[in-house]
Amino acid sequence: MQVGVVVFPGANCDRDVGWALAGCLGWRVTFLWHQDATLPKLDALILPGGFSYGDYLRCGAIASSAPLLRAVADFAAMGGPVLGICNGFQVLTEAGLLPGGLIRNRGLHFICRDQRLQVASCCSPWLCRFAPGDSLTLPIAHGEGCYHIDPPGLRQLEDNHQIALCYLDNPNGSIGHIAGVSNKAGNVLGLMPHPERACDQATGGTDGQVLFQGLVDRLGLS
Amino acid sequence: MTSAPMPHFHATVRVGLRASVLDPAGDAVCAAALRLGHSAIQSIRIGKAIEVQLEAPDAATARRQLESLSAQLLANPVMETWSLELHHQEN
């Protein structure tokens, strides 16, 4: 399994993602600089968490115009699996690859804790080891994770089974308790929780591994 | 022969959350205002003002460039609205 991990200035979870995927799952990881214009041959692409460009203007706004994002959009348009984690999710919404947007948490606090979640739809290949209604625990760590979309957009997400994960106790005020959404095709997934931080029992759980292993199953790779 | 210098413009783009979007920071500032005795305050919404300097052959062109920039980058139409003030500056 050959995965690319995008590196933006200000990202701070790229090495965590690399460690989890290479160290825990044996994937081959290539780090991709944001100024690159082309991608090597990859099976999947991950946009990690952090504070790309210092979160200036809006979280993910400046990263969404990075040269590499055009290549990411092309990869996604061809059906390539793309996962945005936390700030990576914000970048994907800002780039228009995922619907909606992320705003300041309702209670203004930066929330850093383990979070119980429920799978709403497992249409995305990243979630194919889950069934709707399954619960899992993944860490969250964000100040701007309140998912927002207008009512027609929310209805569209529901109708197209694009709501992937929901919070069980909605810590940040997200509309519809939404913790993650996919694009209509399912290959692009964005999550506020951090699956890469739940890949080793020594760091508090392995529910995140299930998500990554699901993609391997779906792609028929190892 | 030298060509005439391109006119300079100064613009202020004001970006704010859509009325339907929660603004917890604005609510927190409103609560502080009330604590300080500003009892007439009914609500506070926080946005940002972005100052832009640019060159353009005329005001209409400057406005078009700024509208494009605002819609594409300065504001996210999913959750924000924006407005524009444009001023010509003497060179």
Side-chain angles (χ1 to χ4, degrees):
Chain A
M1 187 79 183
Q2 182 75 52
V3 65
V5 177
V6 180
V7 181
F8 296 109
N12 61 8
C13 299
D14 44 331
R15 300 287 153 177
D16 291 8
V17 171
W19 173 83
L21 297 180
C24 300
L25 290 152
W27 291 15
R28 290 186 300 279
V29 175
T30 304
F31 291 102
L32 305 164
W33 188 231
H34 66 117
Q35 287 184 321
D36 294 346
T38 57
L39 298 177
K41 191 175 179 321
L42 296 170
D43 299 310
L45 199 49
I46 297 182
L47 285 74
F51 302 86
S52 60
Y53 297 88
D55 279 351
Y56 299 151
L57 192 61
R58 288 179 309 281
C59 302
I62 298 178
S64 73
S65 67
L68 192 66
L69 258 289
R70 188 163 292 184
V72 172
D74 291 343
F75 182 77
M78 290 188 299
V82 178
L83 174 65
I85 301 167
C86 198
N87 187 229
F89 182 16
Q90 295 163 338
V91 174
L92 291 173
T93 61
E94 285 285 342
L97 295 174
L98 286 174
L102 285 310
I103 55 173
R104 188 84 63 94
N105 292 346
R106 181 177 47 195
L108 288 172
H109 292 285
F110 186 97
I111 307 168
C112 183
R113 69 178 202 199
D114 285 343
Q115 176 64 46
R116 293 291 288 163
L117 300 152
Q118 190 164 51
V119 176
S121 162
C122 49
C123 290
S124 171
W126 296 95
L127 295 169
C128 71
R129 278 205 181 183
F130 294 99
D134 282 356
S135 59
L136 66 156
T137 300
L138 297 175
I140 57 170
H142 59 249
E144 270 128 342
C146 176
Y147 185 76
H148 177 80
I149 195 165
D150 62 12
L154 181 61
R155 273 195 300 279
Q156 224 168 12
L157 289 185
E158 290 165 347
D159 292 346
N160 297 327
H161 307 287
Q162 287 175 252
I163 301 173
L165 285 183
C166 291
Y167 300 108
L168 283 179
D169 61 352
N170 203 356
N172 54 27
S174 290
I175 193 163
H177 305 252
I178 290 172
V181 298
S182 73
N183 63 348
K184 211 168 167 181
N187 61 306
V188 181
L189 178 67
L191 307 173
M192 286 315 296
H194 286 264
E196 83 282 10
R197 297 186 190 176
C199 285
D200 186 332
Q201 201 58 53
T203 58
T206 56
D207 285 357
Q209 270 206 25
V210 183
L211 185 139
F212 296 118
Q213 286 163 340
L215 184 69
V216 176
D217 293 351
R218 180 60 69 89
L219 297 179
L221 298 168
S222 60
Chain B
M1 184 177 152
T2 55
S3 57
M6 187 85 95
H8 285 249
F9 295 89
H10 169 241
T12 304
V13 180
R14 295 185 193 284
V15 178
L17 288 168
R18 285 185 178 277
S20 59
V21 175
L22 200 68
D23 179 12
D27 291 344
V29 174
C30 189
L34 294 173
R35 271 200 306 277
L36 290 170
H38 298 280
S39 54
I41 303 296
Q42 295 191 312
S43 80
I44 292 179
R45 306 276 291 173
I46 297 178
K48 56 196 147 201
I50 300 166
E51 306 291 337
V52 186
Q53 306 282 343
L54 76 160
E55 285 182 340
D58 53 58
T61 306
R63 183 170 290 279
R64 274 200 304 278
Q65 285 183 356
L66 288 159
E67 286 173 349
S68 170
L69 175 71
S70 301
Q72 190 180 17
L73 178 65
L74 301 184
N76 181 338
V78 171
M79 56 235 185
E80 294 174 322
T81 57
W82 56 270
S83 62
L84 173 63
E85 280 173 32
L86 180 65
H87 305 284
H88 185 263
Q89 285 189 320
E90 296 302 321
N91 284 311

